[in-house]
Amino acid sequence: MGRTRRDLVWIPTFAVLVAFAVPWPLWGIDLTVAGLPVWIWWHIGWLGLCTVLFTRFVRSGAWERGMGRRTASNATAGRGDGRAGRGD
């Protein structure tokens, strides 16, 4: 099964998310904001970004294609009865 160019964009996207999950630029900084260390705020923001990107990843259908499953539009076209299905 070939990968589309759109699906291949997700590989470096997730590599960057993993690389910056650890707050490398904030090592050795003791600054606190609103009573919490800055690195905690980094994680809060980073987890929010990961949530948004993973939601877009799943909604794009790349998850199903990566798992070798047909998307709902492909499954419906293959059934021929017009019902929406998950390809099971």
Side-chain angles (χ1 to χ4, degrees):
M1 171 172 63
R3 302 263 183 207
T4 65
R5 186 177 305 182
R6 195 174 75 190
D7 288 349
L8 292 176
V9 170
W10 289 110
I11 295 170
T13 300
F14 286 122
V16 168
L17 288 177
V18 169
F20 287 103
V22 176
W24 306 109
L26 299 176
W27 281 16
I29 295 176
D30 295 334
L31 180 66
T32 61
V33 175
L36 293 174
V38 174
W39 63 270
I40 294 286
W41 291 113
W42 173 282
H43 281 298
I44 291 170
W46 204 251
L47 289 174
L49 177 65
C50 288
T51 301
V52 169
L53 288 176
F54 189 71
T55 301
R56 293 191 67 183
F57 171 72
V58 171
R59 288 185 180 167
S60 74
W63 179 268
E64 286 85 6
R65 288 187 297 275
M67 295 292 116
R69 302 219 25 191
R70 296 186 305 180
T71 60
S73 61
N74 290 342
T76 304
R79 291 173 84 175
D81 62 1
R83 294 184 306 167
R86 295 179 52 141
D88 295 331

